[in-house]
Amino acid sequence: LSQGLVQGDVFARYVVMLPEFFAPRPRVGPGRFVFDFQRPRGADNAELVREMKESGVFKSSEVEAAFLAIDRGQFVPRDAIDSAYEDGPLRCRNFHLSQPSLYSDAVHALELELGVSVLNVGCGTGYLSCIISEITGPSVHHGVDVHEEVLEHARSMFQKLNKPFIKFFRVNALDLDLEQSMLYDRIYLGACAGGDAKRLLDLLAVGGILVGPFETSQGQFFRRVRRRSETEFEVENLKGVQFATLKCPTAESPKFVLPYPAWTPETSGSYPRRFIAALRAVLTCTYRRGCSAGLLPRDIWISQIFGFVHPRWFDQPLGDTRVEILEDGTQRPMGAEGEVDRARHARETLELLARHGLLVFGRAPAVPAGEDAGDPFGLLAPPPPAEGSQEESSDQDSDEEVTSSAEEHSEDMYLRDT
């Protein structure tokens, strides 16, 4: 569109095409419109899945069956039911669901297996969690969100669908205790992470996979991150997306620990490798003559002691050293990429659009070939006054006030639009 703004003839064609793509439908929630881009749409869940299949969304019959088993219409409020069976994002009050085709991409990218543990960050009503559980079975499955009304709806659905093993907690993801919480085989991010939010990767077990949107220096990307070792993370950009960012805590909150299931020999597969190695070392020691662990019977260790040992006791401190391995094999430290100056970015975008718009509609005077066009609309910053000028002090004060006002206004516009 920005290229069309520069070239007037191309811009005219964009204007003609807009009504075709932005056809408004009834409101979903107060003051919101959802626009139709010829997305797959059905009268019920079965028809939606069929339309998605014909569009080539599903890459396996297992994923298709999972979407068919979970009715999307049961996870949205009644006043948004008209948009439930459309392959598009849905927002109504605090109920936010991504489009089913994006969820399908996430499910495929997670490489789900029976029995893996799962964490859903920004879990919402539990639609995606229920789909994932159709593949992973009754394994450890946790979710976190900040909206209680949404979580209540999710818990009622888990009871209705006989999925009591899915546990959701009301907590901000950035308030999680990353050193004491459970480690997961699979993690899905339902909101964009960048900067310090990348620390959520510490909740990923070695060999595990995280899928979700990340803020980068080049915009948001839907990524698959595989943890190869304690400090190495293999990063793959799947496609560009636009998600809301993770909400920062509004006040200082105590850290929340995501709990491990009670330890038994059957649930030991969900525990860290170092923990399992330590337990095996103790049990092996009971067979050795003169070992202090042999003073107690093995059954006592298993039934009365191991269950009270914290699963993260045997973890080694990681410090700040974490490495990203990009698709081309390049390695770089995992820094605070994504902590961009949003106010400055919004201001520069508005200035660019204004400049392009004036070039089209302002009818700038023609400039002979070989001459500098200068600044016909006064958009460029004026040169600084000469040293010693009497107007230097007053002009500088005025510019600082305007700049501050523009930054505040630009940031307000960015936050409102987001």
Short mmCIF file of all heavy atoms in Angstrom, two decimals, residues 2-66:
data_model
loop_
_atom_site.label_atom_id
_atom_site.label_comp_id
_atom_site.label_asym_id
_atom_site.label_seq_id
_atom_site.Cartn_x
_atom_site.Cartn_y
_atom_site.Cartn_z
N SER A 2 2.00 1.22 0.72
CA SER A 2 2.87 2.39 0.74
C SER A 2 3.47 2.64 -0.63
O SER A 2 3.63 3.79 -1.05
CB SER A 2 3.99 2.18 1.77
OG SER A 2 4.79 1.08 1.41
N GLN A 3 3.76 1.56 -1.38
CA GLN A 3 4.24 1.75 -2.74
C GLN A 3 3.16 2.37 -3.61
O GLN A 3 3.42 3.20 -4.47
CB GLN A 3 4.69 0.40 -3.32
CG GLN A 3 5.91 -0.17 -2.63
CD GLN A 3 6.26 -1.55 -3.16
OE1 GLN A 3 5.54 -2.07 -4.01
NE2 GLN A 3 7.34 -2.12 -2.66
N GLY A 4 1.91 1.97 -3.37
CA GLY A 4 0.82 2.55 -4.14
C GLY A 4 0.62 4.01 -3.84
O GLY A 4 0.20 4.79 -4.71
N LEU A 5 0.89 4.41 -2.59
CA LEU A 5 0.78 5.82 -2.24
C LEU A 5 1.81 6.66 -2.98
O LEU A 5 1.58 7.83 -3.27
CB LEU A 5 0.95 5.99 -0.73
CG LEU A 5 -0.23 5.49 0.13
CD1 LEU A 5 0.16 5.52 1.60
CD2 LEU A 5 -1.46 6.33 -0.10
N VAL A 6 2.97 6.08 -3.26
CA VAL A 6 3.98 6.81 -3.99
C VAL A 6 3.61 6.92 -5.46
O VAL A 6 3.81 7.95 -6.11
CB VAL A 6 5.35 6.12 -3.83
CG1 VAL A 6 6.41 6.84 -4.66
CG2 VAL A 6 5.76 6.11 -2.36
N GLN A 7 3.04 5.87 -6.01
CA GLN A 7 2.66 5.86 -7.41
C GLN A 7 1.14 5.99 -7.49
O GLN A 7 0.41 5.08 -7.16
CB GLN A 7 3.12 4.56 -8.07
CG GLN A 7 4.62 4.31 -7.92
CD GLN A 7 5.03 2.95 -8.44
OE1 GLN A 7 4.22 2.28 -9.05
NE2 GLN A 7 6.28 2.58 -8.21
N GLY A 8 0.69 7.15 -7.94
CA GLY A 8 -0.74 7.46 -7.90
C GLY A 8 -1.59 6.50 -8.70
O GLY A 8 -2.69 6.13 -8.30
N ASP A 9 -1.09 6.03 -9.85
CA ASP A 9 -1.91 5.14 -10.67
C ASP A 9 -2.12 3.80 -9.99
O ASP A 9 -3.20 3.20 -10.05
CB ASP A 9 -1.24 4.94 -12.03
CG ASP A 9 0.18 4.40 -11.89
OD1 ASP A 9 0.80 4.66 -10.84
OD2 ASP A 9 0.66 3.73 -12.83
N VAL A 10 -1.07 3.30 -9.28
CA VAL A 10 -1.22 2.05 -8.56
C VAL A 10 -2.15 2.23 -7.36
O VAL A 10 -2.95 1.36 -7.03
CB VAL A 10 0.16 1.54 -8.10
CG1 VAL A 10 0.03 0.23 -7.35
CG2 VAL A 10 1.08 1.38 -9.31
N PHE A 11 -2.06 3.39 -6.71
CA PHE A 11 -2.89 3.67 -5.55
C PHE A 11 -4.38 3.61 -5.92
O PHE A 11 -5.20 3.10 -5.16
CB PHE A 11 -2.54 5.04 -4.99
CG PHE A 11 -3.45 5.49 -3.86
CD1 PHE A 11 -3.39 4.86 -2.64
CD2 PHE A 11 -4.34 6.53 -4.05
CE1 PHE A 11 -4.20 5.27 -1.60
CE2 PHE A 11 -5.17 6.93 -3.02
CZ PHE A 11 -5.10 6.31 -1.79
N ALA A 12 -4.73 4.10 -7.09
CA ALA A 12 -6.13 4.07 -7.51
C ALA A 12 -6.64 2.64 -7.60
O ALA A 12 -7.78 2.33 -7.23
CB ALA A 12 -6.27 4.76 -8.87
N ARG A 13 -5.80 1.72 -8.04
CA ARG A 13 -6.22 0.34 -8.14
C ARG A 13 -6.40 -0.28 -6.75
O ARG A 13 -7.30 -1.09 -6.53
CB ARG A 13 -5.17 -0.47 -8.92
CG ARG A 13 -5.37 -0.34 -10.44
CD ARG A 13 -4.33 -1.14 -11.18
NE ARG A 13 -3.05 -0.43 -11.23
CZ ARG A 13 -1.94 -0.96 -11.73
NH1 ARG A 13 -1.97 -2.20 -12.18
NH2 ARG A 13 -0.83 -0.26 -11.76
N TYR A 14 -5.55 0.11 -5.79
CA TYR A 14 -5.73 -0.37 -4.42
C TYR A 14 -7.08 0.07 -3.86
O TYR A 14 -7.78 -0.68 -3.19
CB TYR A 14 -4.62 0.15 -3.51
CG TYR A 14 -3.35 -0.65 -3.56
CD1 TYR A 14 -2.19 -0.11 -4.09
CD2 TYR A 14 -3.31 -1.96 -3.08
CE1 TYR A 14 -1.02 -0.84 -4.13
CE2 TYR A 14 -2.15 -2.70 -3.12
CZ TYR A 14 -1.01 -2.14 -3.64
OH TYR A 14 0.14 -2.86 -3.68
N VAL A 15 -7.45 1.32 -4.12
CA VAL A 15 -8.72 1.84 -3.59
C VAL A 15 -9.88 1.06 -4.16
O VAL A 15 -10.85 0.74 -3.46
CB VAL A 15 -8.84 3.35 -3.91
CG1 VAL A 15 -10.22 3.86 -3.52
CG2 VAL A 15 -7.76 4.13 -3.18
N VAL A 16 -9.82 0.71 -5.43
CA VAL A 16 -10.90 -0.05 -6.06
C VAL A 16 -11.00 -1.44 -5.45
O VAL A 16 -12.09 -2.00 -5.29
CB VAL A 16 -10.67 -0.13 -7.59
CG1 VAL A 16 -11.68 -1.06 -8.22
CG2 VAL A 16 -10.75 1.24 -8.20
N MET A 17 -9.87 -2.02 -5.07
CA MET A 17 -9.87 -3.38 -4.55
C MET A 17 -10.30 -3.48 -3.09
O MET A 17 -10.72 -4.54 -2.65
CB MET A 17 -8.46 -3.98 -4.68
CG MET A 17 -8.01 -4.21 -6.11
SD MET A 17 -6.24 -4.53 -6.19
CE MET A 17 -6.13 -6.02 -5.20
N LEU A 18 -10.21 -2.39 -2.33
CA LEU A 18 -10.48 -2.46 -0.90
C LEU A 18 -11.86 -2.99 -0.55
O LEU A 18 -11.99 -3.84 0.34
CB LEU A 18 -10.25 -1.09 -0.25
CG LEU A 18 -8.78 -0.67 -0.13
CD1 LEU A 18 -8.70 0.73 0.47
CD2 LEU A 18 -8.00 -1.64 0.71
N PRO A 19 -12.96 -2.52 -1.18
CA PRO A 19 -14.27 -3.03 -0.80
C PRO A 19 -14.41 -4.54 -0.98
O PRO A 19 -15.16 -5.20 -0.26
CB PRO A 19 -15.23 -2.27 -1.72
CG PRO A 19 -14.48 -1.05 -2.12
CD PRO A 19 -13.05 -1.48 -2.21
N GLU A 20 -13.69 -5.12 -1.93
CA GLU A 20 -13.79 -6.55 -2.16
C GLU A 20 -13.23 -7.35 -1.00
O GLU A 20 -13.74 -8.40 -0.64
CB GLU A 20 -13.04 -6.90 -3.45
CG GLU A 20 -13.05 -8.40 -3.76
CD GLU A 20 -12.26 -8.70 -5.02
OE1 GLU A 20 -11.87 -7.74 -5.71
OE2 GLU A 20 -12.04 -9.89 -5.31
N PHE A 21 -12.13 -6.84 -0.39
CA PHE A 21 -11.47 -7.58 0.67
C PHE A 21 -12.03 -7.23 2.05
O PHE A 21 -12.06 -8.06 2.94
CB PHE A 21 -9.97 -7.31 0.64
CG PHE A 21 -9.28 -7.90 -0.55
CD1 PHE A 21 -8.95 -7.11 -1.64
CD2 PHE A 21 -9.00 -9.25 -0.59
CE1 PHE A 21 -8.32 -7.67 -2.73
CE2 PHE A 21 -8.37 -9.81 -1.67
CZ PHE A 21 -8.03 -9.02 -2.76
N PHE A 22 -12.45 -5.99 2.25
CA PHE A 22 -12.93 -5.55 3.56
C PHE A 22 -14.45 -5.43 3.53
O PHE A 22 -15.00 -4.33 3.53
CB PHE A 22 -12.31 -4.20 3.94
CG PHE A 22 -10.84 -4.28 4.16
CD1 PHE A 22 -9.96 -4.04 3.12
CD2 PHE A 22 -10.34 -4.63 5.40
CE1 PHE A 22 -8.60 -4.11 3.32
CE2 PHE A 22 -8.97 -4.71 5.60
CZ PHE A 22 -8.11 -4.46 4.56
N ALA A 23 -15.12 -6.57 3.50
CA ALA A 23 -16.58 -6.57 3.52
C ALA A 23 -17.04 -6.73 4.96
O ALA A 23 -16.88 -7.79 5.56
CB ALA A 23 -17.11 -7.72 2.66
N PRO A 24 -17.60 -5.69 5.59
CA PRO A 24 -17.94 -5.78 7.02
C PRO A 24 -19.11 -6.73 7.26
O PRO A 24 -20.04 -6.80 6.48
CB PRO A 24 -18.31 -4.35 7.39
CG PRO A 24 -18.72 -3.72 6.11
CD PRO A 24 -17.90 -4.36 5.03
N ARG A 25 -19.02 -7.45 8.35
CA ARG A 25 -20.11 -8.32 8.78
C ARG A 25 -20.62 -7.80 10.11
O ARG A 25 -20.10 -6.83 10.65
CB ARG A 25 -19.58 -9.75 8.95
CG ARG A 25 -19.06 -10.37 7.67
CD ARG A 25 -18.99 -11.89 7.84
NE ARG A 25 -18.51 -12.28 9.16
CZ ARG A 25 -17.23 -12.32 9.48
NH1 ARG A 25 -16.31 -11.95 8.62
NH2 ARG A 25 -16.87 -12.70 10.69
N PRO A 26 -21.63 -8.44 10.71
CA PRO A 26 -22.16 -7.93 11.98
C PRO A 26 -21.08 -7.82 13.04
O PRO A 26 -20.08 -8.50 13.01
CB PRO A 26 -23.20 -9.00 12.35
CG PRO A 26 -23.63 -9.57 11.04
CD PRO A 26 -22.40 -9.57 10.18
N ARG A 27 -21.32 -6.94 13.99
CA ARG A 27 -20.36 -6.66 15.05
C ARG A 27 -20.14 -7.90 15.91
O ARG A 27 -21.05 -8.67 16.18
CB ARG A 27 -20.86 -5.52 15.94
CG ARG A 27 -20.92 -4.19 15.24
CD ARG A 27 -21.52 -3.13 16.16
NE ARG A 27 -21.63 -1.86 15.48
CZ ARG A 27 -20.71 -0.93 15.50
NH1 ARG A 27 -19.60 -1.14 16.16
NH2 ARG A 27 -20.87 0.21 14.87
N VAL A 28 -18.89 -8.06 16.35
CA VAL A 28 -18.54 -9.09 17.32
C VAL A 28 -17.98 -8.37 18.54
O VAL A 28 -16.85 -7.92 18.53
CB VAL A 28 -17.50 -10.07 16.75
CG1 VAL A 28 -17.13 -11.10 17.80
CG2 VAL A 28 -18.05 -10.75 15.51
N GLY A 29 -18.80 -8.21 19.55
CA GLY A 29 -18.37 -7.43 20.70
C GLY A 29 -18.60 -5.96 20.46
O GLY A 29 -18.88 -5.52 19.35
N PRO A 30 -18.51 -5.16 21.49
CA PRO A 30 -18.79 -3.73 21.36
C PRO A 30 -17.77 -3.02 20.50
O PRO A 30 -16.57 -3.07 20.76
CB PRO A 30 -18.73 -3.25 22.82
CG PRO A 30 -17.87 -4.25 23.52
CD PRO A 30 -18.12 -5.56 22.83
N GLY A 31 -18.24 -2.38 19.46
CA GLY A 31 -17.38 -1.53 18.65
C GLY A 31 -16.39 -2.25 17.78
O GLY A 31 -15.45 -1.66 17.30
N ARG A 32 -16.57 -3.56 17.51
CA ARG A 32 -15.59 -4.30 16.73
C ARG A 32 -16.25 -4.87 15.48
O ARG A 32 -17.38 -5.35 15.51
CB ARG A 32 -14.99 -5.45 17.53
CG ARG A 32 -14.18 -4.98 18.73
CD ARG A 32 -13.49 -6.17 19.37
NE ARG A 32 -12.72 -5.77 20.53
CZ ARG A 32 -11.49 -5.32 20.48
NH1 ARG A 32 -10.88 -5.22 19.33
NH2 ARG A 32 -10.86 -4.97 21.58
N PHE A 33 -15.53 -4.82 14.39
CA PHE A 33 -15.94 -5.47 13.16
C PHE A 33 -14.93 -6.55 12.82
O PHE A 33 -13.75 -6.42 13.11
CB PHE A 33 -16.02 -4.48 11.99
CG PHE A 33 -17.30 -3.71 11.94
CD1 PHE A 33 -17.37 -2.45 12.52
CD2 PHE A 33 -18.43 -4.23 11.36
CE1 PHE A 33 -18.53 -1.72 12.48
CE2 PHE A 33 -19.60 -3.51 11.31
CZ PHE A 33 -19.66 -2.25 11.88
N VAL A 34 -15.39 -7.63 12.23
CA VAL A 34 -14.51 -8.65 11.70
C VAL A 34 -14.66 -8.62 10.19
O VAL A 34 -15.77 -8.56 9.67
CB VAL A 34 -14.86 -10.05 12.24
CG1 VAL A 34 -13.97 -11.09 11.61
CG2 VAL A 34 -14.71 -10.07 13.75
N PHE A 35 -13.56 -8.63 9.46
CA PHE A 35 -13.60 -8.52 8.01
C PHE A 35 -13.33 -9.87 7.38
O PHE A 35 -12.56 -10.69 7.88
CB PHE A 35 -12.55 -7.50 7.55
CG PHE A 35 -12.81 -6.13 8.10
CD1 PHE A 35 -12.14 -5.70 9.23
CD2 PHE A 35 -13.73 -5.30 7.53
CE1 PHE A 35 -12.37 -4.45 9.76
CE2 PHE A 35 -13.98 -4.04 8.05
CZ PHE A 35 -13.29 -3.62 9.16
N ASP A 36 -13.98 -10.10 6.25
CA ASP A 36 -13.95 -11.39 5.58
C ASP A 36 -12.95 -11.35 4.44
O ASP A 36 -13.08 -10.55 3.53
CB ASP A 36 -15.35 -11.72 5.05
CG ASP A 36 -15.45 -13.18 4.62
OD1 ASP A 36 -14.40 -13.83 4.52
OD2 ASP A 36 -16.58 -13.63 4.39
N PHE A 37 -11.93 -12.21 4.46
CA PHE A 37 -10.95 -12.32 3.40
C PHE A 37 -11.16 -13.63 2.64
O PHE A 37 -10.21 -14.33 2.32
CB PHE A 37 -9.54 -12.27 3.98
CG PHE A 37 -9.18 -10.94 4.56
CD1 PHE A 37 -9.46 -10.66 5.88
CD2 PHE A 37 -8.56 -9.98 3.80
CE1 PHE A 37 -9.11 -9.44 6.43
CE2 PHE A 37 -8.21 -8.75 4.35
CZ PHE A 37 -8.48 -8.50 5.66
N GLN A 38 -12.38 -14.00 2.39
CA GLN A 38 -12.70 -15.25 1.73
C GLN A 38 -12.12 -16.44 2.50
O GLN A 38 -11.55 -17.37 1.94
CB GLN A 38 -12.15 -15.23 0.29
CG GLN A 38 -12.63 -14.06 -0.56
CD GLN A 38 -14.15 -14.09 -0.76
OE1 GLN A 38 -14.73 -15.17 -0.90
NE2 GLN A 38 -14.79 -12.94 -0.79
N ARG A 39 -12.27 -16.41 3.82
CA ARG A 39 -11.77 -17.50 4.64
C ARG A 39 -12.74 -18.68 4.60
O ARG A 39 -13.93 -18.49 4.38
CB ARG A 39 -11.61 -17.04 6.09
CG ARG A 39 -10.63 -15.90 6.31
CD ARG A 39 -10.48 -15.65 7.79
NE ARG A 39 -9.50 -14.61 8.07
CZ ARG A 39 -9.81 -13.41 8.53
NH1 ARG A 39 -11.05 -13.09 8.74
NH2 ARG A 39 -8.86 -12.52 8.77
N PRO A 40 -12.24 -19.90 4.86
CA PRO A 40 -13.15 -21.04 4.99
C PRO A 40 -14.15 -20.79 6.11
O PRO A 40 -13.80 -20.30 7.18
CB PRO A 40 -12.21 -22.20 5.33
CG PRO A 40 -10.90 -21.79 4.76
CD PRO A 40 -10.84 -20.30 4.91
N ARG A 41 -15.40 -21.13 5.85
CA ARG A 41 -16.47 -20.88 6.80
C ARG A 41 -17.53 -21.94 6.66
O ARG A 41 -17.86 -22.37 5.54
CB ARG A 41 -17.07 -19.49 6.57
CG ARG A 41 -18.07 -19.05 7.62
CD ARG A 41 -18.56 -17.65 7.35
NE ARG A 41 -19.41 -17.15 8.40
CZ ARG A 41 -19.98 -15.95 8.39
NH1 ARG A 41 -19.78 -15.14 7.36
NH2 ARG A 41 -20.73 -15.55 9.40
N GLY A 42 -18.07 -22.40 7.78
CA GLY A 42 -19.08 -23.43 7.74
C GLY A 42 -20.26 -23.11 8.64
O GLY A 42 -20.21 -22.21 9.47
N ALA A 43 -21.32 -23.90 8.48
CA ALA A 43 -22.51 -23.72 9.31
C ALA A 43 -22.33 -24.37 10.68
O ALA A 43 -23.01 -24.00 11.63
CB ALA A 43 -23.72 -24.30 8.61
N ASP A 44 -21.44 -25.36 10.78
CA ASP A 44 -21.15 -26.00 12.05
C ASP A 44 -19.69 -26.43 12.05
O ASP A 44 -18.94 -26.17 11.10
CB ASP A 44 -22.08 -27.19 12.29
CG ASP A 44 -22.06 -28.18 11.13
OD1 ASP A 44 -21.05 -28.21 10.38
OD2 ASP A 44 -23.03 -28.93 10.97
N ASN A 45 -19.27 -27.08 13.12
CA ASN A 45 -17.86 -27.43 13.25
C ASN A 45 -17.41 -28.42 12.18
O ASN A 45 -16.31 -28.31 11.63
CB ASN A 45 -17.60 -28.00 14.64
CG ASN A 45 -16.13 -28.13 14.95
OD1 ASN A 45 -15.43 -27.13 15.12
ND2 ASN A 45 -15.64 -29.36 15.02
N ALA A 46 -18.26 -29.40 11.88
CA ALA A 46 -17.90 -30.40 10.88
C ALA A 46 -17.68 -29.76 9.52
O ALA A 46 -16.74 -30.10 8.79
CB ALA A 46 -18.99 -31.48 10.80
N GLU A 47 -18.54 -28.81 9.17
CA GLU A 47 -18.39 -28.13 7.87
C GLU A 47 -17.15 -27.24 7.87
O GLU A 47 -16.46 -27.12 6.84
CB GLU A 47 -19.64 -27.31 7.56
CG GLU A 47 -19.64 -26.74 6.15
CD GLU A 47 -20.96 -26.08 5.81
OE1 GLU A 47 -21.96 -26.37 6.49
OE2 GLU A 47 -20.98 -25.29 4.84
N LEU A 48 -16.85 -26.59 9.00
CA LEU A 48 -15.63 -25.78 9.09
C LEU A 48 -14.39 -26.65 8.86
O LEU A 48 -13.48 -26.27 8.10
CB LEU A 48 -15.55 -25.11 10.45
CG LEU A 48 -14.22 -24.41 10.80
CD1 LEU A 48 -13.93 -23.28 9.81
CD2 LEU A 48 -14.24 -23.89 12.22
N VAL A 49 -14.35 -27.81 9.51
CA VAL A 49 -13.20 -28.71 9.35
C VAL A 49 -13.11 -29.19 7.91
O VAL A 49 -12.01 -29.29 7.34
CB VAL A 49 -13.32 -29.90 10.33
CG1 VAL A 49 -12.23 -30.94 10.06
CG2 VAL A 49 -13.24 -29.40 11.77
N ARG A 50 -14.25 -29.47 7.28
CA ARG A 50 -14.23 -29.90 5.89
C ARG A 50 -13.68 -28.81 4.98
O ARG A 50 -12.87 -29.06 4.07
CB ARG A 50 -15.64 -30.30 5.45
CG ARG A 50 -15.72 -30.78 4.00
CD ARG A 50 -17.13 -31.20 3.64
NE ARG A 50 -18.07 -30.09 3.82
CZ ARG A 50 -18.23 -29.11 2.92
NH1 ARG A 50 -17.54 -29.11 1.79
NH2 ARG A 50 -19.11 -28.15 3.15
N GLU A 51 -14.10 -27.57 5.22
CA GLU A 51 -13.61 -26.45 4.42
C GLU A 51 -12.10 -26.26 4.64
O GLU A 51 -11.36 -25.97 3.70
CB GLU A 51 -14.36 -25.17 4.80
CG GLU A 51 -15.83 -25.15 4.41
CD GLU A 51 -16.02 -24.98 2.92
OE1 GLU A 51 -15.07 -24.53 2.25
OE2 GLU A 51 -17.11 -25.29 2.42
N MET A 52 -11.66 -26.41 5.88
CA MET A 52 -10.23 -26.29 6.16
C MET A 52 -9.44 -27.39 5.48
O MET A 52 -8.34 -27.17 4.96
CB MET A 52 -10.00 -26.31 7.67
CG MET A 52 -10.53 -25.08 8.40
SD MET A 52 -10.46 -25.26 10.20
CE MET A 52 -8.70 -25.46 10.48
N LYS A 53 -9.99 -28.59 5.45
CA LYS A 53 -9.31 -29.70 4.79
C LYS A 53 -9.18 -29.44 3.30
O LYS A 53 -8.13 -29.68 2.69
CB LYS A 53 -10.07 -30.99 5.04
CG LYS A 53 -9.44 -32.21 4.39
CD LYS A 53 -10.24 -33.47 4.68
CE LYS A 53 -9.60 -34.69 4.01
NZ LYS A 53 -10.39 -35.93 4.29
N GLU A 54 -10.25 -28.93 2.67
CA GLU A 54 -10.20 -28.63 1.25
C GLU A 54 -9.22 -27.50 0.95
O GLU A 54 -8.69 -27.42 -0.17
CB GLU A 54 -11.60 -28.26 0.75
CG GLU A 54 -12.58 -29.43 0.79
CD GLU A 54 -13.98 -29.04 0.33
OE1 GLU A 54 -14.18 -27.81 0.06
OE2 GLU A 54 -14.85 -29.92 0.24
N SER A 55 -8.97 -26.64 1.92
CA SER A 55 -8.01 -25.55 1.73
C SER A 55 -6.57 -25.99 1.97
O SER A 55 -5.65 -25.18 1.85
CB SER A 55 -8.34 -24.38 2.67
OG SER A 55 -9.64 -23.89 2.42
N GLY A 56 -6.37 -27.25 2.34
CA GLY A 56 -5.02 -27.77 2.56
C GLY A 56 -4.42 -27.40 3.89
O GLY A 56 -3.19 -27.39 4.03
N VAL A 57 -5.27 -27.13 4.90
CA VAL A 57 -4.77 -26.72 6.21
C VAL A 57 -4.14 -27.89 6.96
O VAL A 57 -3.08 -27.75 7.59
CB VAL A 57 -5.90 -26.09 7.05
CG1 VAL A 57 -5.45 -25.83 8.48
CG2 VAL A 57 -6.37 -24.79 6.40
N PHE A 58 -4.77 -29.06 6.89
CA PHE A 58 -4.32 -30.20 7.68
C PHE A 58 -3.26 -31.00 6.93
O PHE A 58 -3.41 -31.29 5.74
CB PHE A 58 -5.50 -31.11 8.02
CG PHE A 58 -6.58 -30.42 8.80
CD1 PHE A 58 -7.87 -30.32 8.29
CD2 PHE A 58 -6.32 -29.86 10.04
CE1 PHE A 58 -8.87 -29.68 8.99
CE2 PHE A 58 -7.31 -29.22 10.76
CZ PHE A 58 -8.60 -29.13 10.23
N LYS A 59 -2.21 -31.36 7.66
CA LYS A 59 -1.12 -32.17 7.09
C LYS A 59 -1.16 -33.60 7.58
O LYS A 59 -0.34 -34.43 7.15
CB LYS A 59 0.24 -31.54 7.43
CG LYS A 59 0.42 -30.12 6.91
CD LYS A 59 1.79 -29.59 7.28
CE LYS A 59 2.02 -28.17 6.75
NZ LYS A 59 1.12 -27.20 7.39
N SER A 60 -2.07 -33.92 8.49
CA SER A 60 -2.21 -35.29 8.98
C SER A 60 -3.66 -35.54 9.37
O SER A 60 -4.37 -34.61 9.79
CB SER A 60 -1.28 -35.55 10.16
OG SER A 60 -1.72 -34.86 11.31
N SER A 61 -4.07 -36.78 9.25
CA SER A 61 -5.44 -37.14 9.62
C SER A 61 -5.64 -37.06 11.13
O SER A 61 -6.75 -36.83 11.62
CB SER A 61 -5.75 -38.56 9.13
OG SER A 61 -4.81 -39.48 9.67
N GLU A 62 -4.55 -37.23 11.91
CA GLU A 62 -4.65 -37.16 13.37
C GLU A 62 -5.04 -35.76 13.82
O GLU A 62 -5.91 -35.59 14.69
CB GLU A 62 -3.32 -37.56 13.99
CG GLU A 62 -3.34 -37.66 15.50
CD GLU A 62 -2.00 -38.08 16.07
OE1 GLU A 62 -0.97 -37.73 15.47
OE2 GLU A 62 -1.98 -38.76 17.12
N VAL A 63 -4.44 -34.73 13.22
CA VAL A 63 -4.77 -33.35 13.56
C VAL A 63 -6.19 -33.03 13.10
O VAL A 63 -6.95 -32.36 13.81
CB VAL A 63 -3.75 -32.38 12.95
CG1 VAL A 63 -4.16 -30.93 13.22
CG2 VAL A 63 -2.37 -32.64 13.50
N GLU A 64 -6.55 -33.47 11.93
CA GLU A 64 -7.92 -33.24 11.43
C GLU A 64 -8.94 -33.85 12.38
O GLU A 64 -9.96 -33.23 12.69
CB GLU A 64 -8.06 -33.84 10.04
CG GLU A 64 -9.46 -33.70 9.46
CD GLU A 64 -9.63 -34.45 8.15
OE1 GLU A 64 -8.61 -34.94 7.60
OE2 GLU A 64 -10.78 -34.56 7.69
N ALA A 65 -8.69 -35.07 12.85
CA ALA A 65 -9.63 -35.73 13.77
C ALA A 65 -9.73 -34.96 15.09
O ALA A 65 -10.81 -34.88 15.68
CB ALA A 65 -9.17 -37.16 14.02
N ALA A 66 -8.62 -34.37 15.54
CA ALA A 66 -8.65 -33.61 16.79
C ALA A 66 -9.52 -32.37 16.64
O ALA A 66 -10.31 -32.03 17.54
CB ALA A 66 -7.23 -33.22 17.19
#
